[in-house]
Amino acid sequence: MDIFVEKFGGASVNSAKAIKNVEKILLLERKKRVVVISAMGKTTNKLENIVNKWFNDRVFFVKQYEELLGYHIGIINDLFENTKAREEITHIIKGIFEELKQKIQIIPSSDYNFLYDSIVSYGEKISTTIVSYYLNQIGIDNTLLFSYQIIKTDNNYRDANVMWQDTQNMVEEKLLPLLEKQDLVITQGFVGGTKENLTTTLGREGSDYSAAILSHCLQAKSMTVWKDVSGLLNADPKRVEKTVQIVSMPYTEAVELSYYGASIIHPKTIKPLENKKIPLYIKSFLNPKEKGTVICQSESVKPIVPNYIFKDNQILLSIMPKDLSFATESCLSEIFSILAKHKIKVSLMQNSAISFSVCFEENRNILPQLLKDLEQDFIVRYNEGLQLVTIRHYTSDAIHDTIGNHSVLIEQKSRITAQYLLNIDDKLAKS
Ligand code: ASP
Ligand code: MG
């Protein structure tokens, strides 16, 4: 049985019109599909606010709750022409909102991450309920299967880890039999469940990952992510004037790009697909017939053009042993254990005889304590507000255009990748 997994993100279901577009895409081709859907529009952010404000700002809570309910009812009113169906789904959705309100009241506040997953996951529960009901009503028969039943995870709430064997078992037990009987199964992105069926989430923007997990377990023919862009571009068009569409990219390149900070796709998505050599298509839901980009097993990216990744708000620490001794292995090991203690994700590093430089995204909540720990044995100087630019498949023109007349604090080049840490406002170092 050939199975296709398709993921529709928040922007592709953010209005009645968008949902009707999903319907059009599904009608383009008849095939066995598992469709993974995110929360509608900005619902997840709003639910995060609801959780955060619940404890100390009930007025805001009520306002945000009512707004979210109104948003979904508005979509239902625009979507359903049939009065009876509209009344029925309105009743169901109001019931789910009521359930959410009751849940937030009974879960103890002490367990923030648990509460977060229980509440924030409602975005997907609501969106899939509406879309599944709508498609059934217009004759696209489908079953809504709750993802907490199939995507099994540990109880690391807010960033749950997948239990692969349990998930595989559940996919075979619950999802495959449905697909044998019917062409379409709908499920939630982002949401999983523990052994005890308690709700977990896979981390923000995790729906891509959900689709990849299911693709892996189903040995899908392909996975498609429907987006509001026509595929992957070689740079963020907000930063680079002329961008080029990528036609195809090897898995390894996609992993490299997400390592350097490209926000193309949720970073955990590639591995489950690569392991089974399942191609990943990134396509525009506005122009579904366009080819888009495919990430697959291949030799090199096509076309080969410089690919730019910009990271702002970087800080560069220059760390020197107080006695001006060499920056030896044992001294580096001390520095790294301090960085690890503060959960610093290093984006670039470089060392010389007596100093070690390290660059990472600045977080003002962490910096003072980090500096205090380092300053016990080291002299530390730092520059803030820097920009790290990574150029994969660089050319001299690409480098020249990127650097402009900014001062370069660190330059690193390998055969394929060039990285520049730029002081874009020419700020002075602090110590
Ligand atoms: N709805 C979730 C989020 O916005 C998951 C996703 O969209 O991928 O983070
Ligand atoms: Mg989203």
Side-chain angles (χ1 to χ4, degrees):
M1 184 164 57
D2 287 348
I3 299 164
F4 297 82
V5 175
E6 305 195 18
K7 179 243 165 175
F8 289 91
S12 61
V13 288
N14 66 3
S15 65
K17 193 168 158 229
I19 296 168
K20 286 185 179 161
N21 188 52
V22 171
E23 166 196 340
K24 249 194 257 158
I25 292 175
L26 295 178
L27 288 173
L28 279 179
E29 246 182 295
R30 221 192 128 191
K31 49 189 181 184
K32 296 259 174 216
R33 284 187 174 99
V34 175
V35 164
V36 174
I37 301 178
S38 300
M40 293 177 170
K42 299 273 169 253
T43 299
T44 307
N45 292 349
K46 298 212 166 131
L47 287 167
E48 267 186 359
N49 291 340
I50 282 187
V51 173
N52 296 340
K53 296 290 172 151
W54 164 247
F55 303 111
N56 48 24
D57 189 349
R58 294 294 152 93
V59 177
F60 180 88
F61 166 80
V62 173
K63 203 173 138 248
Q64 191 79 308
Y65 175 91
E66 295 294 337
E67 195 184 306
L68 212 45
L69 176 60
Y71 168 64
H72 286 92
I73 296 298
I75 289 181
I76 290 173
N77 288 339
D78 292 342
L79 194 57
F80 290 87
E81 277 158 27
N82 178 311
T83 317
K84 192 165 157 281
R86 186 169 61 232
E87 281 170 1
E88 195 176 17
I89 186 68
T90 303
H91 181 73
I92 294 171
I93 294 303
K94 282 192 173 157
I96 296 179
F97 268 89
E98 199 48 47
E99 187 187 296
L100 182 164
K101 200 194 261 170
Q102 281 172 14
K103 222 176 221 176
I104 205 165
Q105 293 177 28
I106 49 172
I107 296 176
S109 57
S110 53
D111 205 344
Y112 176 76
N113 292 338
F114 176 68
L115 174 69
Y116 178 100
D117 282 2
S118 304
I119 300 303
V120 172
S121 56
Y122 271 87
E124 273 70 11
K125 183 169 184 180
I126 294 162
S127 67
T128 48
T129 302
I130 295 174
V131 175
S132 166
Y133 188 97
Y134 172 71
L135 293 175
N136 271 325
Q137 206 248 326
I138 58 158
I140 303 181
D141 291 345
N142 71 87
T143 302
L144 175 58
L145 178 61
F146 283 92
S147 58
Y148 74 84
Q149 298 184 353
I150 41 175
I151 298 200
K152 303 314 294 184
T153 71
D154 65 5
N155 61 2
N156 188 28
Y157 297 104
R158 294 189 71 186
D159 189 20
N161 300 297
V162 175
M163 314 290 279
W164 285 96
Q165 191 54 53
D166 293 350
T167 303
Q168 181 71 46
N169 294 346
M170 286 302 140
V171 163
E172 282 167 23
E173 193 180 304
K174 297 209 150 91
L175 179 52
L176 271 176
L178 288 174
L179 286 166
E180 265 152 27
K181 284 190 278 182
Q182 216 171 25
D183 281 352
L184 179 59
V185 174
I186 293 180
T187 193
Q188 297 85 19
F190 178 55
V191 181
T194 64
K195 232 191 248 133
E196 302 80 21
N197 285 332
L198 296 169
T199 306
T200 55
T201 65
L202 305 172
R204 285 304 307 268
E205 304 303 329
S207 296
D208 292 341
Y209 184 39
S210 304
I213 297 163
L214 295 178
S215 300
H216 178 98
C217 294
L218 289 163
Q219 181 71 67
K221 269 278 174 201
S222 71
M223 169 174 153
T224 303
V225 171
W226 293 99
K227 278 184 171 286
D228 53 2
V229 291
S230 57
L232 297 184
L233 300 175
N234 70 323
D236 179 349
K238 287 184 217 110
R239 310 259 196 173
V240 172
E241 214 179 309
K242 274 200 198 127
T243 54
V244 179
Q245 158 111 33
I246 305 297
V247 177
S248 75
M249 179 182 279
Y251 297 115
T252 46
E253 181 73 15
V255 171
E256 292 275 3
L257 289 178
S258 71
Y259 170 80
Y260 289 116
S263 56
I264 38 168
I265 208 108
H266 189 276
K268 289 183 182 166
T269 307
I270 302 296
K271 188 176 181 293
L273 299 175
E274 191 276 339
N275 289 170
K276 297 249 176 118
K277 306 289 177 258
I278 299 167
L280 166 59
Y281 293 92
I282 297 161
K283 293 175 70 142
S284 159
F285 59 72
L286 301 169
N287 297 302
K289 288 191 175 152
E290 275 179 14
K291 279 214 157 76
T293 302
V294 59
I295 298 174
C296 58
Q297 183 74 359
S298 63
E299 282 302 306
S300 69
V301 56
K302 282 194 196 100
I304 297 190
V305 286
N307 205 320
Y308 302 83
I309 302 149
F310 294 87
K311 278 178 142 187
D312 294 323
N313 194 27
Q314 300 289 306
I315 180 166
L316 175 70
L317 302 191
S318 299
I319 307 165
M320 279 168 283
K322 274 191 174 158
D323 54 4
L324 279 196
S325 60
F326 288 136
T328 55
E329 284 74 6
S330 71
C331 141
L332 291 182
S333 126
E334 184 185 342
I335 294 172
F336 272 104
S337 74
I338 296 172
L339 292 173
K341 176 181 154 200
H342 293 279
K343 296 198 160 65
I344 300 294
K345 254 193 105 243
V346 174
S347 33
L348 191 76
M349 54 193 161
Q350 186 153 297
N351 65 328
S352 73
I354 52 162
S355 102
F356 178 70
S357 301
V358 58
C359 161
F360 51 89
E361 187 166 316
E362 180 163 0
N363 179 337
R364 283 180 196 277
N365 298 325
I366 294 171
L367 190 63
Q369 194 51 49
L370 170 71
L371 290 174
K372 211 166 147 206
D373 285 355
L374 284 168
E375 278 163 355
Q376 302 218 337
D377 288 327
F378 304 97
I379 300 164
V380 185
R381 284 165 56 79
Y382 64 93
N383 286 79
E384 300 172 280
L386 306 176
Q387 185 182 61
L388 177 65
V389 188
T390 304
I391 315 176
R392 294 274 295 164
H393 310 285
Y394 60 86
T395 59
S396 50
D397 281 354
I399 290 173
H400 182 262
D401 293 349
T402 306
I403 296 178
N405 43 22
H406 301 311
S407 57
V408 178
L409 280 84
I410 292 187
E411 167 177 355
Q412 261 178 28
K413 259 188 195 171
S414 69
R415 213 160 36 84
I416 298 177
T417 311
Q419 292 192 286
Y420 294 90
L421 187 62
L422 304 176
N423 192 352
I424 39 177
D425 308 318
D426 288 322
K427 292 188 192 97
L428 296 173
K430 291 185 192 162
S431 53

